[in-house]
Structure formats: structure tokens, C-alpha cells
Amino acid sequence: MSACKFFSPLRKAISPQSPWEKTSCIIAAWMIQSKPCGSYFSTSSHQNAKFYSDPVEAVKDIPDGSTLLVGGFGLCGIPENLIAGLLKTGVKGITAVSNNAGVDNFGLGLLLKTNQIKRMVSSYVGENAEFERQYLEGELEVELVPQGTLAERVRAGGAGIPAFFTPTGFGTLIQEGGAPIKYNKDRTVAIASKPKEVREFNGRQYVMEPSITGDFALVKAWKADRAGNVIFR
């Protein structure tokens, strides 16, 4: 099934060989622009799919202030070479939507170290001392999202669903609001999360969660073709 049914237009950051040629473990990444899509597919002339052998070339047009959806779980399956490409382009003000923020010297932790990330939307942020320092010093905005909710918010955004209801987070700061997103230098709260709408379905309380869309998505894969099909291993 073509992934561009949910994301458009399509761009790929993989080796420019045959349509199903293996990519190297270094450049095995797939990048798509991920604003909500229309009715056309990646095979349309509107898509202008391109293959790149150089990860820097693949990400060089990502502008400051972009929202990036970054694949992987923990340190597994992350697009480390596209992240390295962003280090070289020096893009700033990134909002990174990812399961985690990497560690101090790997993954998104590298972009944190160079202050290229303005806001993290993640489910797990441990094991990164620089992340902790920036957050507590008021240099970084952080939105913590339960893992299942995070995955569904991204999926819903790609499918054109603006919001959905989930019981996860009801009765917590996720629903009630007030969770610190950004601190001031004196450790007072500069930005706090807002309360979320709650509705009852079949006697159970559900929290409304907005979907997430990005400007670009960075995804590591083994093989891909111009139609947007991707194989992982």
C-alpha cells in the first residue's frame, strides 16, 4: 500500500539506483513532506519524487521553524544520517515530533546540543542530560504525550482526521492542563499546557486529542520505490 495515500508530496532520501535497490545502512532513510494530502498519489506528476545519495542534499531545503516527524523507537530505526545532514545545514527553530529526544551524543540529542531544536513533542525523554538542562533552564519547550496517543495523533494527521477521543490521560495534567511546557530562567512556568475537552461515551470519560501534522517526515527504511512503498527490516 502506498504511504503517500496519507502523506504528500513524496520525497525520498535514498540511493538513486533501481526502484527497489537496497540502500546502504547509512543512507537508508525516507523523507516525505507530510502536510495533509489531497486525493492524488505519489505517481502523479505533482509529486516530483526524487532520490538522493547525499543526506545533506535531501534535507538542505528544510527551512528554519519546520515541524519534523522523526521515526524510530528509542535509538532503534532512527534516521541518523538525515539528522547528521541537519547538523550540517544548521536549520534552527525545529519542532521535533518523535518517540524520544535521543541521547547526548546520538540521534536528536545532537541537534539539541547545537540548539537547533526549539520544541520537543515526545513520549520519553530520559537518558539525555542536555535535554534536561535545556528544559529546566527555559531553553527548550517540551510537550509530553503518551506513546500510544502520540502514534495515533500522527496517524490521524496523515489520514486527515483533525482530532480523536481517547481515555488515556483523563484525570491527569494531560487532560486538566497546567503541565510545564517551558520554564522561565527562575524556574517559574512560562508556558503551560491547556485543558482538553472531555466527553463521555458509554459511561467512560474520553479526552479529545488533536492530530499532528508536520512539514517533513524523516524515516529510515531498507528499500523504497517512487510510488511510496517502503520496506523495513
mmCIF file of all heavy atoms in Angstrom, residues 7 30-35 66-72 79 94-99 108 121 150 153-155 157-158 212-219:
data_model
loop_
_atom_site.group_PDB
_atom_site.id
_atom_site.type_symbol
_atom_site.label_atom_id
_atom_site.label_comp_id
_atom_site.label_asym_id
_atom_site.label_seq_id
_atom_site.Cartn_x
_atom_site.Cartn_y
_atom_site.Cartn_z
ATOM 1 N N PHE A 7 0.374 10.783 3.064
ATOM 2 C CA PHE A 7 1.315 11.883 3.150
ATOM 3 C C PHE A 7 1.631 12.390 1.750
ATOM 4 O O PHE A 7 1.810 11.594 0.837
ATOM 5 C CB PHE A 7 2.636 11.447 3.793
ATOM 6 C CG PHE A 7 2.503 10.960 5.195
ATOM 7 C CD1 PHE A 7 2.546 9.617 5.489
ATOM 8 C CD2 PHE A 7 2.339 11.860 6.237
ATOM 9 C CE1 PHE A 7 2.439 9.167 6.783
ATOM 10 C CE2 PHE A 7 2.234 11.416 7.537
ATOM 11 C CZ PHE A 7 2.278 10.058 7.797
ATOM 12 N N TRP A 30 14.017 7.630 4.408
ATOM 13 C CA TRP A 30 12.974 8.063 3.507
ATOM 14 C C TRP A 30 12.394 9.352 4.055
ATOM 15 O O TRP A 30 12.024 9.424 5.207
ATOM 16 C CB TRP A 30 11.907 6.978 3.432
ATOM 17 C CG TRP A 30 10.725 7.285 2.595
ATOM 18 C CD1 TRP A 30 10.681 7.805 1.340
ATOM 19 C CD2 TRP A 30 9.347 7.046 2.950
ATOM 20 N NE1 TRP A 30 9.412 7.891 0.895
ATOM 21 C CE2 TRP A 30 8.566 7.443 1.862
ATOM 22 C CE3 TRP A 30 8.723 6.542 4.073
ATOM 23 C CZ2 TRP A 30 7.185 7.341 1.858
ATOM 24 C CZ3 TRP A 30 7.351 6.445 4.068
ATOM 25 C CH2 TRP A 30 6.596 6.840 2.969
ATOM 26 N N MET A 31 12.355 10.380 3.249
ATOM 27 C CA MET A 31 11.857 11.660 3.713
ATOM 28 C C MET A 31 10.655 12.061 2.887
ATOM 29 O O MET A 31 10.706 12.034 1.671
ATOM 30 C CB MET A 31 12.930 12.742 3.599
ATOM 31 C CG MET A 31 12.475 14.068 4.193
ATOM 32 S SD MET A 31 13.792 15.278 4.182
ATOM 33 C CE MET A 31 13.815 15.686 2.443
ATOM 34 N N ILE A 32 9.583 12.449 3.564
ATOM 35 C CA ILE A 32 8.397 12.899 2.875
ATOM 36 C C ILE A 32 7.933 14.206 3.470
ATOM 37 O O ILE A 32 8.120 14.474 4.641
ATOM 38 C CB ILE A 32 7.249 11.865 3.001
ATOM 39 C CG1 ILE A 32 7.002 11.509 4.468
ATOM 40 C CG2 ILE A 32 7.534 10.635 2.201
ATOM 41 C CD1 ILE A 32 5.856 10.579 4.669
ATOM 42 N N GLN A 33 7.356 15.038 2.630
ATOM 43 C CA GLN A 33 6.710 16.225 3.157
ATOM 44 C C GLN A 33 5.327 15.809 3.583
ATOM 45 O O GLN A 33 4.609 15.157 2.848
ATOM 46 C CB GLN A 33 6.641 17.312 2.080
ATOM 47 C CG GLN A 33 6.164 18.639 2.648
ATOM 48 C CD GLN A 33 6.363 19.762 1.664
ATOM 49 O OE1 GLN A 33 7.107 19.632 0.705
ATOM 50 N NE2 GLN A 33 5.685 20.850 1.882
ATOM 51 N N SER A 34 4.930 16.182 4.812
ATOM 52 C CA SER A 34 3.827 15.466 5.430
ATOM 53 C C SER A 34 2.637 16.321 5.828
ATOM 54 O O SER A 34 1.921 15.983 6.735
ATOM 55 C CB SER A 34 4.344 14.745 6.669
ATOM 56 O OG SER A 34 4.949 15.654 7.543
ATOM 57 N N LYS A 35 2.416 17.426 5.160
ATOM 58 C CA LYS A 35 1.173 18.132 5.388
ATOM 59 C C LYS A 35 0.012 17.275 4.881
ATOM 60 O O LYS A 35 0.194 16.412 4.029
ATOM 61 C CB LYS A 35 1.196 19.487 4.678
ATOM 62 C CG LYS A 35 2.053 20.531 5.402
ATOM 63 C CD LYS A 35 1.518 20.860 6.776
ATOM 64 C CE LYS A 35 2.323 21.970 7.432
ATOM 65 N NZ LYS A 35 1.861 22.273 8.788
ATOM 66 N N SER A 66 10.681 24.616 10.944
ATOM 67 C CA SER A 66 9.904 23.479 10.442
ATOM 68 C C SER A 66 9.512 22.523 11.565
ATOM 69 O O SER A 66 10.201 22.400 12.576
ATOM 70 C CB SER A 66 10.714 22.711 9.399
ATOM 71 O OG SER A 66 10.925 23.479 8.240
ATOM 72 N N THR A 67 8.389 21.850 11.351
ATOM 73 C CA THR A 67 7.981 20.748 12.217
ATOM 74 C C THR A 67 8.386 19.454 11.531
ATOM 75 O O THR A 67 7.980 19.191 10.402
ATOM 76 C CB THR A 67 6.466 20.760 12.460
ATOM 77 O OG1 THR A 67 6.116 21.942 13.185
ATOM 78 C CG2 THR A 67 6.032 19.536 13.272
ATOM 79 N N LEU A 68 9.189 18.639 12.230
ATOM 80 C CA LEU A 68 9.705 17.402 11.661
ATOM 81 C C LEU A 68 9.149 16.200 12.414
ATOM 82 O O LEU A 68 9.227 16.142 13.641
ATOM 83 C CB LEU A 68 11.236 17.368 11.733
ATOM 84 C CG LEU A 68 11.994 18.552 11.110
ATOM 85 C CD1 LEU A 68 13.492 18.320 11.219
ATOM 86 C CD2 LEU A 68 11.580 18.768 9.662
ATOM 87 N N LEU A 69 8.586 15.254 11.688
ATOM 88 C CA LEU A 69 8.155 13.984 12.258
ATOM 89 C C LEU A 69 9.307 13.014 12.076
ATOM 90 O O LEU A 69 9.677 12.688 10.943
ATOM 91 C CB LEU A 69 6.904 13.470 11.551
ATOM 92 C CG LEU A 69 5.746 14.468 11.371
ATOM 93 C CD1 LEU A 69 4.569 13.794 10.681
ATOM 94 C CD2 LEU A 69 5.330 15.066 12.705
ATOM 95 N N VAL A 70 9.887 12.555 13.173
ATOM 96 C CA VAL A 70 11.117 11.763 13.115
ATOM 97 C C VAL A 70 10.835 10.348 13.591
ATOM 98 O O VAL A 70 10.411 10.130 14.725
ATOM 99 C CB VAL A 70 12.222 12.412 13.968
ATOM 100 C CG1 VAL A 70 13.527 11.633 13.812
ATOM 101 C CG2 VAL A 70 12.435 13.872 13.555
ATOM 102 N N GLY A 71 11.087 9.377 12.717
ATOM 103 C CA GLY A 71 10.782 7.988 13.009
ATOM 104 C C GLY A 71 11.773 7.351 13.960
ATOM 105 O O GLY A 71 12.812 7.909 14.308
ATOM 106 N N GLY A 72 11.436 6.123 14.378
ATOM 107 C CA GLY A 72 12.293 5.362 15.277
ATOM 108 C C GLY A 72 11.653 5.168 16.636
ATOM 109 O O GLY A 72 10.687 5.846 16.997
ATOM 110 N N PRO A 79 16.538 7.908 11.786
ATOM 111 C CA PRO A 79 17.213 8.336 10.558
ATOM 112 C C PRO A 79 18.483 9.120 10.881
ATOM 113 O O PRO A 79 18.572 10.331 10.667
ATOM 114 C CB PRO A 79 16.157 9.210 9.882
ATOM 115 C CG PRO A 79 15.391 9.807 11.016
ATOM 116 C CD PRO A 79 15.336 8.729 12.071
ATOM 117 N N ILE A 94 13.569 24.117 15.133
ATOM 118 C CA ILE A 94 12.856 22.890 14.787
ATOM 119 C C ILE A 94 11.879 22.495 15.891
ATOM 120 O O ILE A 94 12.205 22.557 17.075
ATOM 121 C CB ILE A 94 13.856 21.731 14.571
ATOM 122 C CG1 ILE A 94 14.738 22.005 13.346
ATOM 123 C CG2 ILE A 94 13.137 20.398 14.428
ATOM 124 C CD1 ILE A 94 15.887 21.026 13.222
ATOM 125 N N THR A 95 10.685 22.100 15.495
ATOM 126 C CA THR A 95 9.789 21.359 16.379
ATOM 127 C C THR A 95 9.919 19.900 15.984
ATOM 128 O O THR A 95 9.587 19.525 14.851
ATOM 129 C CB THR A 95 8.331 21.815 16.238
ATOM 130 O OG1 THR A 95 8.216 23.156 16.712
ATOM 131 C CG2 THR A 95 7.397 20.917 17.055
ATOM 132 N N ALA A 96 10.441 19.072 16.880
ATOM 133 C CA ALA A 96 10.684 17.664 16.577
ATOM 134 C C ALA A 96 9.630 16.804 17.256
ATOM 135 O O ALA A 96 9.472 16.852 18.475
ATOM 136 C CB ALA A 96 12.080 17.248 17.036
ATOM 137 N N VAL A 97 8.909 16.027 16.450
ATOM 138 C CA VAL A 97 7.905 15.107 16.960
ATOM 139 C C VAL A 97 8.492 13.709 16.841
ATOM 140 O O VAL A 97 8.718 13.205 15.739
ATOM 141 C CB VAL A 97 6.595 15.205 16.155
ATOM 142 C CG1 VAL A 97 5.548 14.243 16.723
ATOM 143 C CG2 VAL A 97 6.078 16.644 16.147
ATOM 144 N N SER A 98 8.795 13.098 17.979
ATOM 145 C CA SER A 98 9.488 11.815 17.962
ATOM 146 C C SER A 98 9.246 11.079 19.263
ATOM 147 O O SER A 98 8.949 11.699 20.287
ATOM 148 C CB SER A 98 10.995 12.027 17.759
ATOM 149 O OG SER A 98 11.692 10.803 17.699
ATOM 150 N N ASN A 99 9.395 9.770 19.212
ATOM 151 C CA ASN A 99 9.248 8.970 20.425
ATOM 152 C C ASN A 99 10.154 9.452 21.538
ATOM 153 O O ASN A 99 9.777 9.462 22.707
ATOM 154 C CB ASN A 99 9.550 7.506 20.083
ATOM 155 C CG ASN A 99 9.934 6.677 21.287
ATOM 156 O OD1 ASN A 99 11.118 6.441 21.512
ATOM 157 N ND2 ASN A 99 8.953 6.254 22.055
ATOM 158 N N LEU A 108 18.554 12.641 17.983
ATOM 159 C CA LEU A 108 18.139 14.037 18.106
ATOM 160 C C LEU A 108 18.928 14.780 19.173
ATOM 161 O O LEU A 108 18.944 16.015 19.188
ATOM 162 C CB LEU A 108 16.639 14.116 18.411
ATOM 163 C CG LEU A 108 15.709 13.708 17.256
ATOM 164 C CD1 LEU A 108 14.261 13.714 17.722
ATOM 165 C CD2 LEU A 108 15.887 14.632 16.064
ATOM 166 N N VAL A 121 8.177 17.212 21.011
ATOM 167 C CA VAL A 121 6.905 16.556 21.295
ATOM 168 C C VAL A 121 7.226 15.069 21.360
ATOM 169 O O VAL A 121 7.479 14.436 20.328
ATOM 170 C CB VAL A 121 5.855 16.852 20.213
ATOM 171 C CG1 VAL A 121 4.520 16.192 20.565
ATOM 172 C CG2 VAL A 121 5.667 18.358 20.037
ATOM 173 N N LEU A 150 0.592 9.572 21.025
ATOM 174 C CA LEU A 150 1.491 10.220 20.075
ATOM 175 C C LEU A 150 1.409 9.550 18.704
ATOM 176 O O LEU A 150 1.286 10.223 17.671
ATOM 177 C CB LEU A 150 2.923 10.172 20.598
ATOM 178 C CG LEU A 150 4.004 10.787 19.705
ATOM 179 C CD1 LEU A 150 3.779 12.279 19.520
ATOM 180 C CD2 LEU A 150 5.389 10.529 20.285
ATOM 181 N N ARG A 153 -1.934 10.405 17.110
ATOM 182 C CA ARG A 153 -2.029 11.803 16.682
ATOM 183 C C ARG A 153 -1.343 11.998 15.333
ATOM 184 O O ARG A 153 -1.833 12.722 14.477
ATOM 185 C CB ARG A 153 -1.421 12.728 17.735
ATOM 186 C CG ARG A 153 -2.273 12.891 18.991
ATOM 187 C CD ARG A 153 -1.601 13.784 20.029
ATOM 188 N NE ARG A 153 -1.518 15.158 19.562
ATOM 189 C CZ ARG A 153 -0.946 16.147 20.256
ATOM 190 N NH1 ARG A 153 -0.414 15.888 21.446
ATOM 191 N NH2 ARG A 153 -0.912 17.376 19.777
ATOM 192 N N VAL A 154 -0.210 11.330 15.146
ATOM 193 C CA VAL A 154 0.497 11.430 13.866
ATOM 194 C C VAL A 154 -0.275 10.689 12.773
ATOM 195 O O VAL A 154 -0.440 11.193 11.659
ATOM 196 C CB VAL A 154 1.929 10.868 13.994
ATOM 197 C CG1 VAL A 154 2.610 10.813 12.635
ATOM 198 C CG2 VAL A 154 2.745 11.734 14.952
ATOM 199 N N ARG A 155 -0.758 9.484 13.083
ATOM 200 C CA ARG A 155 -1.531 8.727 12.093
ATOM 201 C C ARG A 155 -2.782 9.487 11.679
ATOM 202 O O ARG A 155 -3.129 9.569 10.501
ATOM 203 C CB ARG A 155 -1.924 7.359 12.657
ATOM 204 C CG ARG A 155 -2.545 6.424 11.618
ATOM 205 C CD ARG A 155 -3.490 5.414 12.245
ATOM 206 N NE ARG A 155 -4.675 6.046 12.781
ATOM 207 C CZ ARG A 155 -5.749 6.373 12.048
ATOM 208 N NH1 ARG A 155 -5.763 6.159 10.743
ATOM 209 N NH2 ARG A 155 -6.800 6.940 12.616
ATOM 210 N N GLY A 157 -3.291 12.688 11.773
ATOM 211 C CA GLY A 157 -2.933 13.834 10.941
ATOM 212 C C GLY A 157 -2.699 13.436 9.499
ATOM 213 O O GLY A 157 -3.142 14.128 8.564
ATOM 214 N N GLY A 158 -2.028 12.310 9.286
ATOM 215 C CA GLY A 158 -1.786 11.855 7.928
ATOM 216 C C GLY A 158 -3.051 11.429 7.220
ATOM 217 O O GLY A 158 -3.158 11.528 6.001
ATOM 218 N N ILE A 212 -1.552 15.516 14.718
ATOM 219 C CA ILE A 212 -0.276 16.178 14.477
ATOM 220 C C ILE A 212 0.083 16.018 13.005
ATOM 221 O O ILE A 212 0.032 14.910 12.464
ATOM 222 C CB ILE A 212 0.851 15.581 15.332
ATOM 223 C CG1 ILE A 212 0.598 15.825 16.817
ATOM 224 C CG2 ILE A 212 2.209 16.154 14.930
ATOM 225 C CD1 ILE A 212 1.620 15.163 17.733
ATOM 226 N N THR A 213 0.415 17.115 12.366
ATOM 227 C CA THR A 213 0.976 17.068 11.020
ATOM 228 C C THR A 213 2.327 17.770 11.054
ATOM 229 O O THR A 213 2.601 18.571 11.945
ATOM 230 C CB THR A 213 0.065 17.751 9.987
ATOM 231 O OG1 THR A 213 -0.169 19.107 10.389
ATOM 232 C CG2 THR A 213 -1.271 17.031 9.872
ATOM 233 N N GLY A 214 3.153 17.463 10.103
ATOM 234 C CA GLY A 214 4.475 18.077 10.054
ATOM 235 C C GLY A 214 4.751 18.672 8.692
ATOM 236 O O GLY A 214 3.989 18.478 7.744
ATOM 237 N N ASP A 215 5.836 19.389 8.604
ATOM 238 C CA ASP A 215 6.279 19.923 7.319
ATOM 239 C C ASP A 215 7.084 18.884 6.547
ATOM 240 O O ASP A 215 7.020 18.818 5.322
ATOM 241 C CB ASP A 215 7.126 21.180 7.541
ATOM 242 C CG ASP A 215 6.345 22.276 8.249
ATOM 243 O OD1 ASP A 215 5.289 22.671 7.728
ATOM 244 O OD2 ASP A 215 6.781 22.714 9.330
ATOM 245 N N PHE A 216 7.842 18.082 7.286
ATOM 246 C CA PHE A 216 8.629 16.996 6.690
ATOM 247 C C PHE A 216 8.646 15.824 7.664
ATOM 248 O O PHE A 216 8.540 16.014 8.866
ATOM 249 C CB PHE A 216 10.081 17.431 6.415
ATOM 250 C CG PHE A 216 10.221 18.534 5.409
ATOM 251 C CD1 PHE A 216 10.140 19.869 5.803
ATOM 252 C CD2 PHE A 216 10.435 18.239 4.065
ATOM 253 C CE1 PHE A 216 10.267 20.891 4.881
ATOM 254 C CE2 PHE A 216 10.567 19.266 3.139
ATOM 255 C CZ PHE A 216 10.487 20.591 3.534
ATOM 256 N N ALA A 217 8.783 14.615 7.114
ATOM 257 C CA ALA A 217 8.968 13.428 7.940
ATOM 258 C C ALA A 217 10.267 12.754 7.545
ATOM 259 O O ALA A 217 10.572 12.630 6.359
ATOM 260 C CB ALA A 217 7.795 12.455 7.774
ATOM 261 N N LEU A 218 11.035 12.345 8.540
ATOM 262 C CA LEU A 218 12.303 11.658 8.303
ATOM 263 C C LEU A 218 12.150 10.212 8.779
ATOM 264 O O LEU A 218 11.917 9.976 9.969
ATOM 265 C CB LEU A 218 13.439 12.337 9.065
ATOM 266 C CG LEU A 218 13.583 13.860 8.886
ATOM 267 C CD1 LEU A 218 14.808 14.359 9.635
ATOM 268 C CD2 LEU A 218 13.655 14.235 7.423
ATOM 269 N N VAL A 219 12.266 9.273 7.852
ATOM 270 C CA VAL A 219 12.007 7.873 8.152
ATOM 271 C C VAL A 219 13.131 7.015 7.596
ATOM 272 O O VAL A 219 13.506 7.168 6.430
ATOM 273 C CB VAL A 219 10.662 7.411 7.543
ATOM 274 C CG1 VAL A 219 10.394 5.949 7.888
ATOM 275 C CG2 VAL A 219 9.526 8.294 8.015
#
